[in-house]
Structure formats: structure tokens, C-alpha cells
Amino acid sequence: MADLKYRSPRGTSDILPEDQPYWAFILETAVGLAEVYGYQRVDVPIFEFADLYIRGVGEATDIVQKEMYIFEDRGGDRMALRPEFTAGICRAYLQHGMSNRPLPVKLWTAGPVFRYDRPQRGRYRQFHQFNYEAIGELDPWLDAEVIDLAWRFYERLGLKDLTLELNSIGDGRCRPAYREALRAYYRPLVDRLCSDCKDRLERNPLRLLDCKQPTCWALSEAAPRSVDYLCDECREHFAGVQEWLGRYGVPYRLNHRLVRGLDYYTKTVFEVQPPRQGAQAALGGGGRYDGLIEELGGRPTPGIGFATGMERIILELKEQGISPPGRKLPVVFVAYTGEATRLATVGVVGRVRAAGFIGVHAFGSRSLKSQLRLADGLGAGYALILGEEEYRQGRVVFRDMATGSQEVVSLEEALSRIRRG
Ligand code: AMP
């Protein structure tokens, strides 16, 4: 291993066949829910013009400022690998005039996103998100519906003991005063802050609230709370979200230190936390972004979204001992016993596959013993052994791999027994 010439880059991973059932399980569950909540699929490019994410300086967040993969393409344009989905989807919403569709426009997507982060458990440089966006509606009922969708998603996966955390961080009207209150609180404490927080204090003080350095974390407990600075509209909206959540029967916990890693959020923010990990390891999160579409050049348009990291869900499924549903198709191994049946294998495997089963066999010219070993290794439930004599009579040796019992039957009979299971 040590002297391999090429390795995958740090923070990326290969998704091997044995992990694919987890991915399929999560994706099927997420798509199934998206559909019944009225979401339609959209796909956006993996790279965009970097300016789509870097919209002016000022409040810029770490994700945009420090973690983006930016490159100049051969035409001299500055591009970025997407660090998240929302900006790309909102761009697509504007570019394709989706505001003419019935609102809210509900869209889902899934795929890799890229952040130059410090890799560790649950934190990678290429990771995968499943993402829902609902654009064009301000009603707090929609916030609750999106949160309900997120909650039901984890529930359907079978995950237990999760916590839904909720906060409101206000909007362009009330947040400046809140930000100022945070700066005023932290300025006298600046010497005790970590270097990142010192750096963020003037630029983006909200982020100080969720810094996990022990001293910063302790100081944030007594920091001013955004809910105490909300304007009337944001306060009413937040009360509405909580009321609707009650109707959906989604349990939540208010967390006044919950802020999100991207700068466009307004009003509602939420995260879903696993039972045993620190707040850095949220399974998913989202919130409202009522100013984003206008910032991208559109008419003022509210929106709300939710993203969940697939890798973190898999870690949590494994942690909780939840296995994805097993492979459904039976594996049928076809074994030859001589030259004539070796050539006939092609036709028999074809019949097996046409019947909808996984048809496999050995290549080359191998002994029956070695073929059956291979059948075991491939997880075959059944083997069809083509004895020269039986095969001439249109029959095969039907072997149940689990018990080793064998019987000579017609190929049709063998296939219908496999179908019956
Ligand atoms: P965010 O876009 O930062 O709100 O992240 C949404 C979700 O994506 C998180 O709750 C995680 O599940 C996942 N996520 C974010 N960053 C990473 C990362 N570096 N590695 C793996 N998953 C991540």
C-alpha cells in the first residue's frame, strides 16, 4: 500500500460497492419524500462562476472566503467548484424564469460539493449533499413544512434520538443591531478569543456563537441572543414557525447559539443533530434566505432550503446499527463441466439474466470445485451446474448454495424455483 503511485486526494473517498446500498437507501428515501412533498428534481453544474458565491465582501463566511476551490479556466474566467447548492439553484431559478411557475417552486437535487476543509471524521473536501429548496413563499407554514420534511426523512431512515434545533437570526432590518450588540459584548473579551474568532469579530460576529474552542464556547453562553433583537415582522414569523411545527408534531429545541455557515440566511435557521456528537457534526441543516435572490439580481423573492450530508448520515446509520435493505436480486451462478457446456454457458446465463436474476459464471476453463468456490465468493444463492449428459436432455443440476442440496430439473423449473425463493 505504502508505495502506491497514485492515491485519492486528501478529504475525498471512493465509494466502494459494499457501501453503495447505504447510498441507494438514503437516496431512495430522500427522493421518495421529496416527491410526496411536491418537489421536482433539478440539476445544476458542479462548477459556476466564482462570483456567484463571492457576492461582495463584508460579511463573507469561511466557506466562501477560505474553503472554496477556485480556479481560472483556460479562457481566463474565475470558476469555483460548488461549495453548496442553494446559490446555483437560485441562479437557475432566475435564469429560467421560474418565478412564472406556481409558487413556491419546490426543487430537490443531490450530488458532490467541495470545501477545502480540514479533513476528519464526518468532514471531507468532497462530500455529497441531498438538498431541498422551496422558493417564492414567505409564509412560516412553509418553514414548518420544510422542517417537517427534514425530520420525516431521518425518521424514515430509522435514525433515533436526533434533535432538531431551531433559531431565528433576523433579517437585514434587525440583524445590524444584533450584530452590533454581539461586537459590544465580545470586544472587551477579545484577548480570550481564539485567533479565528478574533478575525471574525468585526466581519461576521454571528459566527462566534458556534465556535467550538472551549473558551469561545463558554463565552458564547452569555452572549446576546438574536431572538431578543428581532424586529416585529421577524418575531411574528418565528412565532408562526413554532406554531406550525406544533401542528406538524415536530419536536424542536430552541438554540440561541445556532447560526449557519453561509451568510445569506435570514429569519429561520435549523439543524438536526445526532445524539452523540458535538454541534460541528450536524446531520443536516437549513434555513430561510429571503435576500439571496435579490442579491443575485432578481426581484425580492423569499426562499428556504435544507441540505443534509450523505456521508454523515451513513456514519450515523452505522453508529446506530441500521443496515440498508439488502440486495433484492438473487445471484445465480452457472457452472460448466466440460468444453461443450462451457460454450453453452453463454446461453444459460442469458436465460438467467432475461428472467431478471443476476447471472454470473467463471471465465477461462476451471474445475467445477474452483467454480463453486467462486460462486460462494460472489454470494450466489443458487448454482446451475451444466452436466454434459443432463444438459443434452435440457436439464441442469440445481444446487442450493446455502444447504448444498442438489436436484436435476429442467432449466424452466430451476428458474421458477429461484423466482419462488
Ligand atoms: P451546510 O451547507 O454547511 O449547512 O452543511 C449541510 C450539511 O452538509 C451538514 O449538516 C453536513 O451533513 C454536510 N457537510 C457540511 N460540510 C461537510 C464536510 N466538510 N464534510 C462532510 N459533510 C459536510
Short mmCIF file of all heavy atoms in Angstrom, two decimals, residues 63 67 83-84 113 115 117 122-129 154 260-262 264-265 271-272 281-286 307-313, ligand 1:
data_model
loop_
_atom_site.label_atom_id
_atom_site.label_comp_id
_atom_site.label_asym_id
_atom_site.label_seq_id
_atom_site.Cartn_x
_atom_site.Cartn_y
_atom_site.Cartn_z
N ILE A 63 -16.67 29.53 4.60
CA ILE A 63 -16.89 28.61 3.48
C ILE A 63 -16.52 29.29 2.18
O ILE A 63 -15.83 28.74 1.33
CB ILE A 63 -18.36 28.12 3.45
CG1 ILE A 63 -18.64 27.24 4.66
CG2 ILE A 63 -18.66 27.38 2.15
CD1 ILE A 63 -20.07 26.79 4.80
N GLU A 67 -12.63 28.30 2.00
CA GLU A 67 -12.77 26.88 1.71
C GLU A 67 -13.14 26.57 0.26
O GLU A 67 -13.30 25.42 -0.10
CB GLU A 67 -13.82 26.26 2.64
CG GLU A 67 -13.39 26.33 4.10
CD GLU A 67 -14.46 25.84 5.06
OE1 GLU A 67 -15.50 25.33 4.61
OE2 GLU A 67 -14.25 25.98 6.28
N PRO A 83 -19.53 25.00 -3.49
CA PRO A 83 -19.36 24.64 -2.09
C PRO A 83 -20.70 24.31 -1.44
O PRO A 83 -20.76 23.92 -0.27
CB PRO A 83 -18.78 25.91 -1.47
CG PRO A 83 -19.34 27.03 -2.29
CD PRO A 83 -19.55 26.47 -3.69
N GLU A 84 -21.80 24.51 -2.19
CA GLU A 84 -23.16 24.28 -1.69
C GLU A 84 -24.09 24.39 -2.89
O GLU A 84 -23.65 24.77 -3.97
CB GLU A 84 -23.50 25.34 -0.64
CG GLU A 84 -23.32 26.76 -1.15
CD GLU A 84 -24.62 27.53 -1.22
OE1 GLU A 84 -25.60 27.09 -0.63
OE2 GLU A 84 -24.65 28.59 -1.87
N VAL A 113 -20.38 18.21 -3.41
CA VAL A 113 -20.00 19.61 -3.18
C VAL A 113 -18.58 19.60 -2.60
O VAL A 113 -18.11 18.58 -2.11
CB VAL A 113 -20.99 20.37 -2.28
CG1 VAL A 113 -22.34 20.53 -2.93
CG2 VAL A 113 -21.15 19.67 -0.94
N ARG A 115 -15.40 21.56 -0.40
CA ARG A 115 -14.91 22.59 0.53
C ARG A 115 -13.50 22.22 0.98
O ARG A 115 -13.29 21.08 1.43
CB ARG A 115 -15.81 22.71 1.76
CG ARG A 115 -17.19 23.23 1.41
CD ARG A 115 -18.07 23.36 2.63
NE ARG A 115 -19.45 23.57 2.22
CZ ARG A 115 -20.49 23.55 3.04
NH1 ARG A 115 -20.30 23.35 4.33
NH2 ARG A 115 -21.71 23.73 2.59
N ASP A 117 -11.69 22.00 3.49
CA ASP A 117 -11.82 21.98 4.94
C ASP A 117 -10.70 21.11 5.51
O ASP A 117 -9.98 20.47 4.75
CB ASP A 117 -13.18 21.32 5.24
CG ASP A 117 -13.81 21.87 6.49
OD1 ASP A 117 -13.08 22.40 7.34
OD2 ASP A 117 -15.05 21.75 6.61
N GLY A 122 -16.35 12.66 9.34
CA GLY A 122 -17.56 13.43 9.02
C GLY A 122 -17.29 14.78 8.37
O GLY A 122 -18.21 15.57 8.17
N ARG A 123 -16.03 15.04 8.04
CA ARG A 123 -15.70 16.32 7.42
C ARG A 123 -14.71 16.07 6.29
O ARG A 123 -13.59 15.65 6.53
CB ARG A 123 -15.09 17.25 8.49
CG ARG A 123 -14.93 18.68 8.05
CD ARG A 123 -14.64 19.57 9.24
NE ARG A 123 -15.80 19.67 10.12
CZ ARG A 123 -16.82 20.51 9.92
NH1 ARG A 123 -16.79 21.34 8.89
NH2 ARG A 123 -17.83 20.55 10.75
N TYR A 124 -15.16 16.29 5.08
CA TYR A 124 -14.36 15.93 3.91
C TYR A 124 -14.26 17.12 2.96
O TYR A 124 -14.93 18.13 3.14
CB TYR A 124 -14.98 14.73 3.20
CG TYR A 124 -15.35 13.63 4.17
CD1 TYR A 124 -16.67 13.42 4.56
CD2 TYR A 124 -14.35 12.87 4.76
CE1 TYR A 124 -16.99 12.45 5.50
CE2 TYR A 124 -14.65 11.89 5.70
CZ TYR A 124 -15.98 11.69 6.07
OH TYR A 124 -16.30 10.75 7.01
N ARG A 125 -13.42 16.97 1.95
CA ARG A 125 -13.27 18.05 0.97
C ARG A 125 -14.21 17.87 -0.21
O ARG A 125 -14.66 18.83 -0.80
CB ARG A 125 -11.82 18.12 0.53
CG ARG A 125 -10.95 18.63 1.66
CD ARG A 125 -9.51 18.75 1.29
NE ARG A 125 -8.80 19.37 2.41
CZ ARG A 125 -7.49 19.46 2.50
NH1 ARG A 125 -6.73 18.98 1.52
NH2 ARG A 125 -6.94 20.03 3.53
N GLN A 126 -14.45 16.62 -0.58
CA GLN A 126 -15.56 16.34 -1.49
C GLN A 126 -16.56 15.52 -0.69
O GLN A 126 -16.21 14.46 -0.17
CB GLN A 126 -15.10 15.55 -2.71
CG GLN A 126 -16.32 15.09 -3.53
CD GLN A 126 -15.98 14.41 -4.85
OE1 GLN A 126 -15.05 14.81 -5.53
NE2 GLN A 126 -16.74 13.40 -5.20
N PHE A 127 -17.76 16.04 -0.54
CA PHE A 127 -18.79 15.27 0.14
C PHE A 127 -20.08 15.44 -0.65
O PHE A 127 -20.11 16.14 -1.66
CB PHE A 127 -18.93 15.70 1.60
CG PHE A 127 -19.27 17.15 1.81
CD1 PHE A 127 -20.58 17.53 2.06
CD2 PHE A 127 -18.29 18.12 1.75
CE1 PHE A 127 -20.90 18.87 2.26
CE2 PHE A 127 -18.61 19.46 1.94
CZ PHE A 127 -19.91 19.84 2.18
N HIS A 128 -21.11 14.75 -0.22
CA HIS A 128 -22.34 14.73 -1.02
C HIS A 128 -23.51 15.23 -0.21
O HIS A 128 -23.67 14.86 0.95
CB HIS A 128 -22.61 13.30 -1.51
CG HIS A 128 -21.53 12.79 -2.42
ND1 HIS A 128 -20.30 12.39 -1.94
CD2 HIS A 128 -21.47 12.68 -3.76
CE1 HIS A 128 -19.53 12.03 -2.96
NE2 HIS A 128 -20.22 12.19 -4.08
N GLN A 129 -24.29 16.05 -0.85
CA GLN A 129 -25.48 16.57 -0.16
C GLN A 129 -26.74 16.17 -0.90
O GLN A 129 -26.74 16.05 -2.13
CB GLN A 129 -25.43 18.10 -0.09
CG GLN A 129 -24.47 18.64 0.95
CD GLN A 129 -24.58 20.14 1.12
OE1 GLN A 129 -25.09 20.84 0.24
NE2 GLN A 129 -24.08 20.65 2.24
N TYR A 154 -35.20 11.72 8.28
CA TYR A 154 -34.35 10.94 9.20
C TYR A 154 -35.17 9.85 9.88
O TYR A 154 -34.66 8.76 10.16
CB TYR A 154 -33.72 11.85 10.25
CG TYR A 154 -32.82 12.90 9.64
CD1 TYR A 154 -33.15 14.25 9.68
CD2 TYR A 154 -31.64 12.53 9.01
CE1 TYR A 154 -32.33 15.21 9.12
CE2 TYR A 154 -30.82 13.49 8.44
CZ TYR A 154 -31.17 14.82 8.50
OH TYR A 154 -30.36 15.75 7.93
N ARG A 260 -25.62 29.77 11.01
CA ARG A 260 -25.24 28.86 9.94
C ARG A 260 -23.98 29.35 9.25
O ARG A 260 -23.62 30.50 9.35
CB ARG A 260 -26.39 28.70 8.95
CG ARG A 260 -27.70 28.35 9.62
CD ARG A 260 -27.90 26.86 9.78
NE ARG A 260 -27.89 26.21 8.49
CZ ARG A 260 -27.15 25.15 8.19
NH1 ARG A 260 -26.36 24.62 9.07
NH2 ARG A 260 -27.20 24.62 7.00
N GLY A 261 -23.35 28.44 8.53
CA GLY A 261 -22.05 28.74 7.94
C GLY A 261 -22.07 29.58 6.68
O GLY A 261 -21.03 29.88 6.12
N LEU A 262 -23.25 29.97 6.21
CA LEU A 262 -23.30 30.78 5.00
C LEU A 262 -24.03 32.09 5.32
O LEU A 262 -24.87 32.13 6.21
CB LEU A 262 -24.01 30.01 3.88
CG LEU A 262 -23.16 28.82 3.38
CD1 LEU A 262 -24.01 27.68 2.88
CD2 LEU A 262 -22.19 29.29 2.29
N TYR A 264 -26.13 34.08 3.73
CA TYR A 264 -27.40 34.57 3.17
C TYR A 264 -28.62 34.25 4.02
O TYR A 264 -29.73 34.63 3.66
CB TYR A 264 -27.59 34.02 1.75
CG TYR A 264 -27.37 32.53 1.59
CD1 TYR A 264 -28.19 31.61 2.23
CD2 TYR A 264 -26.35 32.04 0.78
CE1 TYR A 264 -28.00 30.26 2.09
CE2 TYR A 264 -26.14 30.68 0.62
CZ TYR A 264 -26.98 29.79 1.27
OH TYR A 264 -26.78 28.45 1.12
N TYR A 265 -28.45 33.56 5.12
CA TYR A 265 -29.64 33.16 5.89
C TYR A 265 -30.33 34.34 6.56
O TYR A 265 -29.68 35.29 7.00
CB TYR A 265 -29.27 32.11 6.93
CG TYR A 265 -29.00 30.76 6.31
CD1 TYR A 265 -27.72 30.26 6.22
CD2 TYR A 265 -30.05 30.00 5.78
CE1 TYR A 265 -27.47 29.03 5.62
CE2 TYR A 265 -29.81 28.78 5.17
CZ TYR A 265 -28.53 28.30 5.10
OH TYR A 265 -28.28 27.09 4.50
N GLU A 271 -31.09 23.01 12.48
CA GLU A 271 -30.13 21.93 12.26
C GLU A 271 -30.63 20.67 12.93
O GLU A 271 -31.36 20.74 13.92
CB GLU A 271 -28.76 22.30 12.87
CG GLU A 271 -27.90 23.06 11.90
CD GLU A 271 -26.50 23.40 12.40
OE1 GLU A 271 -26.16 23.04 13.53
OE2 GLU A 271 -25.77 24.04 11.63
N VAL A 272 -30.25 19.55 12.38
CA VAL A 272 -30.59 18.27 13.00
C VAL A 272 -29.29 17.66 13.52
O VAL A 272 -28.34 17.48 12.77
CB VAL A 272 -31.28 17.34 11.99
CG1 VAL A 272 -31.56 15.99 12.63
CG2 VAL A 272 -32.58 17.97 11.50
N ALA A 281 -21.06 18.50 14.03
CA ALA A 281 -21.36 17.33 13.22
C ALA A 281 -22.83 17.23 12.85
O ALA A 281 -23.37 16.15 12.74
CB ALA A 281 -20.91 16.08 13.94
N ALA A 282 -23.50 18.37 12.64
CA ALA A 282 -24.92 18.33 12.28
C ALA A 282 -25.13 17.38 11.10
O ALA A 282 -24.35 17.36 10.16
CB ALA A 282 -25.39 19.72 11.93
N LEU A 283 -26.20 16.61 11.18
CA LEU A 283 -26.52 15.72 10.06
C LEU A 283 -27.04 16.54 8.89
O LEU A 283 -26.84 16.18 7.73
CB LEU A 283 -27.61 14.73 10.48
CG LEU A 283 -27.20 13.64 11.43
CD1 LEU A 283 -28.42 12.79 11.78
CD2 LEU A 283 -26.12 12.77 10.81
N GLY A 284 -27.73 17.61 9.20
CA GLY A 284 -28.28 18.43 8.14
C GLY A 284 -28.72 19.76 8.70
O GLY A 284 -28.82 19.91 9.92
N GLY A 285 -28.93 20.69 7.82
CA GLY A 285 -29.37 21.98 8.31
C GLY A 285 -29.89 22.84 7.18
O GLY A 285 -29.71 22.51 6.00
N GLY A 286 -30.53 23.92 7.57
CA GLY A 286 -31.05 24.79 6.53
C GLY A 286 -31.61 26.05 7.12
O GLY A 286 -31.41 26.35 8.30
N ALA A 307 -30.25 21.14 3.55
CA ALA A 307 -29.26 20.23 2.96
C ALA A 307 -28.79 19.24 4.00
O ALA A 307 -28.61 19.59 5.18
CB ALA A 307 -28.06 21.02 2.44
N THR A 308 -28.61 18.02 3.57
CA THR A 308 -28.12 17.01 4.50
C THR A 308 -26.94 16.29 3.87
O THR A 308 -26.92 16.03 2.68
CB THR A 308 -29.25 16.02 4.89
OG1 THR A 308 -28.74 15.11 5.85
CG2 THR A 308 -29.81 15.28 3.71
N GLY A 309 -25.93 16.03 4.68
CA GLY A 309 -24.72 15.39 4.16
C GLY A 309 -24.87 13.88 4.18
O GLY A 309 -25.16 13.29 5.21
N MET A 310 -24.68 13.29 3.02
CA MET A 310 -24.89 11.84 2.90
C MET A 310 -23.87 11.06 3.73
O MET A 310 -24.20 10.07 4.38
CB MET A 310 -24.77 11.42 1.44
CG MET A 310 -25.56 12.29 0.49
SD MET A 310 -27.20 11.67 0.16
CE MET A 310 -26.83 10.40 -1.00
N GLU A 311 -22.60 11.48 3.71
CA GLU A 311 -21.57 10.73 4.44
C GLU A 311 -21.87 10.69 5.93
O GLU A 311 -21.70 9.67 6.60
CB GLU A 311 -20.18 11.35 4.23
CG GLU A 311 -19.58 11.12 2.85
CD GLU A 311 -20.05 12.12 1.81
OE1 GLU A 311 -20.98 12.92 2.11
OE2 GLU A 311 -19.52 12.09 0.68
N ARG A 312 -22.33 11.83 6.46
CA ARG A 312 -22.62 11.87 7.90
C ARG A 312 -23.80 10.99 8.25
O ARG A 312 -23.86 10.41 9.32
CB ARG A 312 -22.92 13.30 8.33
CG ARG A 312 -21.65 14.11 8.36
CD ARG A 312 -21.76 15.30 9.24
NE ARG A 312 -20.63 16.18 8.94
CZ ARG A 312 -20.60 17.46 9.18
NH1 ARG A 312 -21.65 18.04 9.76
NH2 ARG A 312 -19.55 18.17 8.87
N ILE A 313 -24.76 10.90 7.33
CA ILE A 313 -25.90 10.02 7.59
C ILE A 313 -25.42 8.57 7.65
O ILE A 313 -25.82 7.80 8.52
CB ILE A 313 -26.99 10.18 6.52
CG1 ILE A 313 -27.56 11.59 6.56
CG2 ILE A 313 -28.10 9.15 6.72
CD1 ILE A 313 -28.57 11.87 5.48
P1 AMP B 1 -24.01 23.35 5.28
O1 AMP B 1 -24.13 23.54 3.79
O2 AMP B 1 -22.69 23.79 5.82
O3 AMP B 1 -25.17 23.86 6.01
O4 AMP B 1 -23.98 21.77 5.52
C1 AMP B 1 -25.13 20.99 5.37
C2 AMP B 1 -24.76 19.57 5.69
O5 AMP B 1 -23.74 19.12 4.81
C3 AMP B 1 -24.16 19.37 7.06
O6 AMP B 1 -25.13 19.22 8.04
C4 AMP B 1 -23.37 18.10 6.87
O7 AMP B 1 -24.20 16.96 6.93
C5 AMP B 1 -22.86 18.23 5.48
N1 AMP B 1 -21.50 18.78 5.48
C6 AMP B 1 -21.10 20.06 5.56
N2 AMP B 1 -19.77 20.17 5.47
C7 AMP B 1 -19.29 18.91 5.33
C8 AMP B 1 -18.00 18.34 5.17
N3 AMP B 1 -16.90 19.10 5.11
N4 AMP B 1 -17.89 17.00 5.05
C9 AMP B 1 -18.98 16.21 5.08
N5 AMP B 1 -20.23 16.69 5.22
C10 AMP B 1 -20.40 18.01 5.35
#
